Amino acid sequence: MYAQMVKSEATQEDPEKLATFQARIDAGEKIEPKDWMPAGYRKTLIRQIGQHAHSEIVGQLPEGNWITRAPTLERKAILLAKVQDEAGHGLYLYCAAETLGVSRDELTEMLLDGRMKYSSIFNYPTLTWADMGAVGWLVDGAAIMNQVPLQRTSFGPYSRAMIRICKEESFHQRQGYDIMMKMARGTPEQKRMAQDALNRFWYPSLMMFGPSDKDSVHSAQSMAWKIKMNTNDELRQKFVDQTVPQAEYLGLTVPDETLTWNEEKGGYDFAEPDWKEFFEVIQGNGPCNTERLAARNKAWDDGKWVRDGLLAHAEKRSMRKIAAE
């Protein structure tokens, strides 16, 4: 349906403008907010950047849950800094989306009423401290795999926001791997916790790249516009090829009995995630969907007085400036 809407909008626009726009994309030029762009391009960017921003904000919830329970003061400080980074990433991305003519409030309202989604991975619970390692190693590792190519995406504000985000995410991935290393080399019980975390987060991490290319409704057009630089399956394969040796180094076992090295393709053959589960989570039926959205709704409602106060202050300053002129 979405692809049909984009195609329908494109047929109503000036063919000459569309051709010029595509020529700029093909030449590797950056599209800036004041440049002409097809309605479908703008809509696709709002969807992708908005969902990316929401994922950064919602992603604070499973980690924030462990700040007070981290095993040492140093670990608490590191995790607190990481959660703070994720909040900053969300703000960068909301700012990038705002250049397309949609307000932060509108984006938030679309999240809260279900018109926008966030990454499916954040609808899974973090049950032990080892999960903080798995989230950093696997979830942030998958995020980096997705996000590094976005530094070359065609929309300028999105591309520039990703530069800092990717640098910070690389630290998050190392922090998670460090936790897993400490757990895997600790007591037998700690190693069992690390293996359990890997078991539970492996397939949800593979789902982070989106559905298989044959089932993805956005990929073809997004790649033509260079909003996306790689297909879902390409990135998923790259993630598996990079992560399996890391698990072996830790002495942990990837929970996939079919996993084998394929010399011919120079990569691993691996089992696909349960896509039925993926779509169930996306539709709101995951383990923590209700909890996550309830937390965001509560934050939105509890923060109303702050937003109202800031707006009133801004309006008062504006009136003073007008009066002074």
Side-chain angles (χ1 to χ4, degrees):
M1 179 62 73
Y2 181 86
Q4 292 175 344
M5 289 171 60
V6 170
K7 185 175 180 181
S8 175
E9 288 170 346
T11 59
Q12 298 172 15
E13 291 174 317
D14 185 339
E16 187 174 339
K17 283 186 176 181
L18 289 170
T20 301
F21 178 82
Q22 190 62 52
R24 291 187 63 195
I25 296 290
D26 295 341
E29 293 184 30
K30 294 296 183 194
I31 306 301
E32 299 299 337
K34 292 184 179 180
D35 295 343
W36 184 88
M37 64 186 73
Y41 180 84
R42 184 185 301 274
K43 180 181 292 185
T44 299
L45 280 169
I46 290 172
R47 176 187 60 82
Q48 182 168 323
I49 300 174
Q51 291 184 1
H52 191 167
H54 296 326
S55 298
E56 299 284 356
I57 298 301
V58 176
Q60 298 174 92
L61 297 174
E63 293 178 312
N65 185 44
W66 278 93
I67 290 173
T68 59
R69 294 184 287 164
T72 67
L73 182 59
E74 181 184 25
R75 291 293 185 188
K76 285 180 171 63
I78 292 171
L79 187 56
L80 183 61
K82 182 185 178 186
V83 171
Q84 185 178 18
D85 282 349
E86 305 296 7
H89 298 173
L91 294 179
Y92 305 152
L93 292 164
Y94 284 134
C95 287
E98 284 177 323
T99 67
L100 292 162
V102 59
S103 73
R104 200 170 307 183
D105 284 2
E106 289 174 311
L107 290 169
T108 302
E109 287 164 2
M110 284 190 275
L111 168 68
L112 299 181
D113 65 20
R115 284 176 291 157
M116 265 194 177
K117 306 295 183 182
Y118 53 88
S119 179
S120 59
I121 192 70
F122 300 120
N123 288 310
Y124 291 86
T126 48
L127 305 176
T128 71
W129 173 249
D131 287 7
M132 291 297 93
V135 167
W137 171 36
L138 300 175
V139 176
D140 291 325
I144 292 169
M145 200 68 69
N146 266 318
Q147 293 170 7
V148 165
L150 292 175
Q151 294 174 104
R152 297 180 285 112
T153 192
S154 61
F155 186 56
Y158 194 20
S159 171
R160 292 187 287 272
M162 293 314 304
I163 294 172
R164 179 167 179 174
I165 290 174
C166 287
K167 288 179 180 177
E168 293 178 349
E169 290 289 3
S170 68
F171 283 104
H172 300 170
Q173 196 267 351
R174 294 177 198 176
Q175 173 255 355
Y177 195 70
D178 180 67
I179 292 174
M180 294 299 278
M181 190 177 298
K182 295 292 193 298
M183 299 289 286
R185 295 179 180 177
T187 66
E189 178 59 26
Q190 287 173 324
K191 185 172 183 179
R192 281 194 293 271
M193 289 172 65
Q195 182 64 59
D196 175 64
L198 171 57
N199 292 346
R200 287 183 288 105
F201 277 92
W202 175 252
Y203 286 106
S205 295
L206 295 187
M207 294 176 191
M208 287 179 65
F209 298 97
S212 179
D213 292 342
K214 67 181 186 301
D215 299 319
S216 178
V217 298
H218 303 303
S219 285
Q221 183 60 75
S222 291
M223 289 190 68
W225 279 329
K226 294 187 180 179
I227 293 174
K228 283 181 66 172
M229 309 303 292
N230 302 90
T231 70
N232 298 347
D233 288 341
E234 287 173 351
L235 292 172
R236 192 167 11 253
Q237 180 70 59
K238 188 175 180 181
F239 174 76
V240 171
D241 292 344
Q242 174 181 291
T243 308
V244 170
Q246 295 172 350
E248 291 173 347
Y249 181 79
L250 293 172
L252 302 178
T253 303
V254 172
D256 180 356
E257 294 180 356
T258 71
L259 187 71
T260 53
W261 177 257
N262 185 323
E263 192 67 40
E264 185 177 344
K265 75 176 183 180
Y268 287 93
D269 292 330
F270 58 94
E272 290 280 314
D274 180 349
W275 292 117
K276 181 179 178 182
E277 176 185 325
F278 171 78
F279 287 112
E280 278 290 306
V281 174
I282 290 296
Q283 291 167 13
N285 301 316
C288 296
N289 288 70
T290 301
E291 178 184 338
R292 301 293 185 239
L293 275 180
R296 292 309 306 143
N297 272 285
K298 184 176 187 302
W300 181 249
D301 293 341
D302 290 351
K304 184 178 184 303
W305 70 273
V306 178
R307 296 193 302 276
D308 290 345
L310 290 172
L311 287 171
H313 179 65
E315 185 177 354
K316 185 180 291 186
R317 288 187 64 182
S318 177
M319 295 301 293
R320 285 175 180 171
K321 186 176 180 181
I322 292 171
E325 292 173 351

